[in-house]
Amino acid sequence: MKAKAFDTRLFKRILQYTKPYQWRFNGVIAFAISLSIFAALRPYLLKQTVDGYIQTRDADGLLFYITLMGVVLLCEVFSQFYFVFWANWLGQDIVKDIRTKLFKHILSFRMKYFDLVPVGQLVTRSVSDIESIARIFSQGLFMIISDLMKMVVVLGFMFYMNWKLTWIVIVAMPILVFITRIFQRKMQVAFEDVRNQISNMNTFVQERVTGMKIVQLFNREEIESEKFKNINDKHKKAWIKTILYNSIFFPIADIISSLTLGFIVLYGGLKILNGDTFTTFGDLFSYTMFIGMLFNPLRQIADKFNEMQLGMIAANRVFEIIDTQDQIQDTGTIEAPVFKGNLSFKDVHFSYIPDEEVIKGIDLNVKAGETVAIVGSTGAGKSTIINLLNRFYEINSGEIYIDNQNIENYTLSSLRKQIAVVLQDVFLFADTIFKNITLNNPEITREDVLAAAREIGVHDFIMSLPDNYDFDVKERGVMLSSGQRQLIAFLRAYVSNPSILILDEATSSIDTYSEELIQRATETITQGRTSIVIAHRLATIVTADKIVVMDKGLIVEQGTHQELINRKSGYYKNLYDSQFSVAN
């Protein structure tokens, strides 16, 4: 949907966010009115001063009017300060509310949404686009209102003082209005292009910085640099178009303003020289100020209108995300208790892409307290089972039960609270080890973390680090090795005290020392709770209570390690033999 500069529906929706701050909104309008009155009073008082006291050489009257002009100026400054401050304050409060709503909404999206939408695009919407919405109030709407009020009041004073001179201004104004309208239309298209290019650039930079290791490993620096150069060039051209329109419009507006002032001075001056009394020197003095106060706001309205356009375009983009309904349907009414851990998959079908099933009608039962390993080749559907159990994705058909209750009947938050997952690719935030373990959960104390770390055998490793539990791991945990990150992930899962534990390739691609620690941690945290272990390395799951073998979305074998290894030409036996023959 293409954003409109003055989309009434969209604008009304933005104004809805001013309701909690109605008193401040009204205050800004009040200061805008007072500002326009005080601004127009100064030229009027100047006329009175020139005609009434300078020409008559009345020193006392001159001093009084100069003092009065000073008081009016102070009132104008006071009004200007509160007008600008409150307008910006209101804008920031509004974007705070919209940003909070947007981020909360993004957190509710199912994983499929993030599979399809670039991260850089979401960052642009959440940061720069929302800041542009603030400018609707700080640099757009209220500034336009203030300028329009100032123009109305100034015109009123001008007609009151000298209606004949004012008609010269009235004749010139439609020309400037017509040029301004053309300018606005051109700028609307230009700013839409600017926002698109900014979004493209953010997405590109976000992905390349995140994948910098791949870029450098495959010597892609020159290629990616060239791609960025092209994107940057399009971004520059988009901005140059806006600069071109500004460069044409503002000089034309200045010329019209100057010509109008010149005609007034020429016409009024000739009338004074001819002895005509309808014009005075005070009129000419005050009109030199009035022309600037009338034409500059009209010219600036076009500039402020640009800010409105940017804000409206940005608001349209932000509201598109807010209006997106791509959440898992949290219709459950049961608060999940501490699970016993009985799991059951009944004829479950699932596909990421329509008509391309990844899970093709599986049936699986796991008893409470069992450790079940799931093995199979890449793409067999192992990790998908984990995603479905956590309800990251909705199944196409079938049912999943925990403790004889369909998981859709549980509230999402309570369901996920009872399930802990340790992934192969551990994500750590740019924060301390302690906060990465607790994820700022106030219910988990430092004493809980220390005790848990000792139980699973990772306390000594953490204490060997600078600042131990307060060690900052930096973005994505780059200060730690992959094995160390895995240990933090195990501890994070353990302190949450889950009913069901899932280890997804948690022991792959790590060193021997870390594997020994992880093996000990695995034995500790799986004890007494239902555990699902997904692994390529079959040596790590030979002690599992049950091994489930998957291939192409189907369960092809089930049993203990010994049972499966004894099956001649069985899928698991072939997989096991091939893996260990390679290892040897």
Side-chain angles (χ1 to χ4, degrees):
M1 174 179 153
K2 188 177 179 180
K4 300 177 183 178
F6 282 110
D7 186 330
T8 305
R9 179 195 57 80
L10 179 62
F11 190 66
K12 286 181 178 179
R13 184 173 182 180
I14 296 171
L15 289 181
Q16 291 294 315
Y17 288 89
T18 66
K19 286 185 176 180
Y21 315 101
Q22 195 64 48
W23 66 272
R24 205 183 312 152
F25 183 92
N26 295 336
V28 174
I29 299 298
F31 282 118
I33 295 171
S34 63
L35 179 61
S36 62
I37 293 172
F38 290 129
L41 267 176
R42 287 190 293 111
Y44 177 74
L45 292 175
L46 177 61
K47 167 190 165 54
Q48 300 300 321
T49 303
V50 172
D51 291 342
Y53 302 101
I54 293 179
Q55 286 187 316
T56 60
R57 301 177 183 276
D58 184 345
D60 293 335
L62 177 62
L63 180 61
F64 172 78
Y65 263 81
I66 292 297
T67 304
L68 185 58
M69 289 174 66
V71 172
V72 170
L73 180 61
L74 287 175
C75 292
E76 183 182 352
V77 170
F78 176 83
S79 299
Q80 179 79 20
F81 169 77
Y82 277 99
F83 170 74
V84 173
F85 180 74
W86 281 19
N88 281 272
W89 182 13
L90 178 63
Q92 289 304 315
D93 274 332
I94 289 169
V95 299
K96 177 201 68 176
D97 294 343
I98 296 177
R99 185 180 283 122
T100 300
K101 183 175 182 178
L102 174 65
F103 188 70
K104 185 177 181 180
H105 192 65
I106 290 174
L107 289 176
S108 71
F109 286 150
R110 52 183 174 174
M111 291 298 109
K112 186 175 182 180
Y113 180 85
F114 300 103
D115 295 339
L116 301 175
V117 178
V119 175
Q121 181 176 315
L122 292 176
V123 172
T124 301
R125 302 294 180 267
S126 303
V127 182
S128 59
D129 278 343
I130 287 188
E131 283 301 325
S132 294
I133 296 176
R135 296 176 72 85
I136 290 178
F137 299 94
S138 61
Q139 301 295 326
L141 174 65
F142 292 126
M143 291 296 180
I144 291 174
I145 291 173
S146 176
D147 287 343
L148 289 174
M149 287 182 176
K150 189 180 293 184
M151 291 168 61
V152 170
V153 174
V154 165
L155 275 174
F157 271 91
M158 291 173 73
F159 269 111
Y160 174 73
M161 290 165 51
N162 195 316
W163 64 272
K164 291 183 179 179
L165 288 180
T166 304
W167 275 109
I168 298 177
V169 178
I170 296 299
V171 170
M173 285 185 67
I175 301 173
L176 187 55
V177 170
F178 176 72
I179 295 172
T180 300
R181 183 56 184 158
I182 294 175
F183 173 70
Q184 289 168 352
R185 289 174 178 170
K186 295 292 185 182
M187 290 300 288
Q188 178 182 350
V189 176
F191 276 131
E192 178 71 30
D193 190 24
V194 166
R195 299 310 304 171
N196 286 333
Q197 296 307 325
I198 289 174
S199 180
N200 291 339
M201 181 177 289
N202 284 345
T203 300
F204 183 89
V205 172
Q206 172 86 21
E207 289 181 346
R208 270 58 184 183
V209 171
T210 303
M212 187 57 69
K213 184 179 291 186
I214 299 299
V215 171
Q216 295 184 355
L217 278 173
F218 290 90
N219 296 314
R220 298 276 300 179
E221 292 93 337
E222 289 297 325
I223 296 173
E224 298 302 330
S225 178
E226 194 63 33
K227 285 184 179 179
F228 181 77
K229 188 184 295 183
N230 292 334
I231 293 174
N232 199 24
D233 186 57
K234 290 179 181 178
H235 177 261
K236 180 199 71 174
K237 288 178 179 177
W239 272 111
I240 286 178
K241 192 179 292 183
T242 68
I243 294 170
L244 174 63
Y245 294 147
N246 279 293
S247 301
I248 293 173
F249 171 74
F250 289 109
I252 292 176
D254 285 337
I255 290 171
I256 294 173
S257 176
S258 299
L259 288 174
T260 303
L261 179 59
F263 278 120
I264 286 177
V265 172
L266 177 63
Y267 178 71
L270 289 174
K271 290 295 182 181
I272 292 173
L273 292 176
N274 291 332
D276 200 322
T277 58
F278 87 89
T279 301
T280 65
F281 284 109
D283 288 334
L284 296 183
F285 272 105
S286 61
Y287 268 67
T288 57
M289 296 179 65
F290 275 136
I291 292 297
M293 294 173 65
L294 189 63
F295 279 70
N296 285 340
L298 184 59
R299 188 187 73 171
Q300 290 170 5
I301 283 176
D303 195 31
K304 300 303 182 293
F305 190 82
N306 294 343
E307 300 294 343
M308 285 283 289
Q309 286 178 316
L310 276 173
M312 295 290 280
I313 291 168
N316 188 69
R317 294 172 181 270
V318 170
F319 288 142
E320 278 181 357
I321 296 179
I322 291 177
D323 292 339
T324 299
Q325 298 301 317
D326 203 1
Q327 298 89 357
I328 293 292
Q329 295 303 309
D330 189 8
T331 56
T333 57
I334 300 174
E335 287 293 319
V338 175
F339 291 138
K340 293 178 182 178
N342 293 297
L343 305 180
S344 180
F345 287 71
K346 297 183 178 180
D347 193 28
V348 173
H349 291 256
F350 172 75
S351 57
Y352 293 103
I353 301 171
D355 301 323
E356 294 185 21
E357 283 194 339
V358 178
I359 300 296
K360 303 174 182 178
I362 66 169
D363 292 287
L364 175 64
N365 293 298
V366 180
K367 295 179 182 178
E370 275 190 336
T371 296
V372 175
I374 303 177
V375 300
S377 59
T378 300
K382 305 184 299 296
S383 296
T384 300
I385 289 180
I386 309 311
N387 290 332
L388 299 181
L389 186 60
N390 279 281
R391 294 199 65 202
F392 289 140
Y393 298 86
E394 297 279 21
I395 60 178
N396 296 352
S397 63
E399 295 171 312
I400 302 175
Y401 289 87
I402 298 179
D403 292 346
N404 299 317
Q405 185 69 248
N406 193 312
I407 61 173
E408 294 182 2
N409 296 333
Y410 295 118
T411 62
L412 267 180
S413 60
S414 65
L415 171 69
R416 291 173 180 171
K417 188 176 182 180
Q418 294 299 321
I419 303 174
V421 182
V422 179
L423 300 172
Q424 175 185 0
D425 184 16
V426 177
F427 188 93
L428 298 181
F429 295 94
D431 212 326
T432 65
I433 285 181
F434 175 75
K435 290 184 177 179
N436 269 289
I437 293 169
T438 65
L439 297 177
N440 294 309
N441 185 345
E443 297 178 3
I444 303 175
T445 66
R446 185 172 285 264
E447 289 71 27
D448 294 333
V449 173
L450 292 174
R454 291 189 179 98
E455 285 180 35
I456 67 173
V458 300
H459 177 71
D460 292 340
F461 141 65
I462 297 175
M463 292 303 293
S464 69
L465 298 171
D467 301 321
N468 47 78
Y469 287 87
D470 294 317
F471 178 64
D472 190 345
V473 300
K474 305 300 181 184
E475 186 175 3
R476 299 183 68 86
V478 295
M479 301 300 291
L480 302 177
S481 69
S482 60
Q484 290 172 330
R485 291 196 294 271
Q486 286 284 8
L487 291 170
I488 299 303
F490 268 82
L491 185 52
R492 180 162 64 192
Y494 189 50
V495 296
S496 67
N497 194 27
S499 303
I500 299 170
L501 177 69
I502 298 168
L503 307 180
D504 189 355
E505 306 286 2
T507 58
S508 63
S509 305
I510 57 175
D511 56 85
T512 304
Y513 173 71
S514 295
E515 184 174 358
E516 292 175 357
L517 289 177
I518 288 175
Q519 198 64 42
R520 175 185 168 184
T522 302
E523 293 171 1
T524 303
I525 67 178
T526 57
Q527 191 171 5
R529 57 170 56 91
T530 302
S531 303
I532 298 177
V533 181
I534 297 175
H536 278 304
R537 300 169 67 175
L538 303 185
T540 62
I541 48 91
V542 292
T543 60
D545 297 310
K546 181 164 61 176
I547 297 174
V548 176
V549 185
M550 294 192 67
D551 183 42
K552 298 178 180 178
L554 295 169
I555 294 177
V556 294
E557 289 180 341
Q558 293 188 58
T560 65
H561 169 72
Q562 199 58 48
E563 289 171 348
L564 294 176
I565 207 74
N566 290 334
R567 294 183 183 178
K568 292 183 179 181
S569 300
Y571 193 101
Y572 179 81
K573 178 176 173 56
N574 292 336
L575 194 65
Y576 187 85
D577 289 344
S578 63
Q579 193 171 110
F580 278 89
S581 65
V582 171
N584 293 329

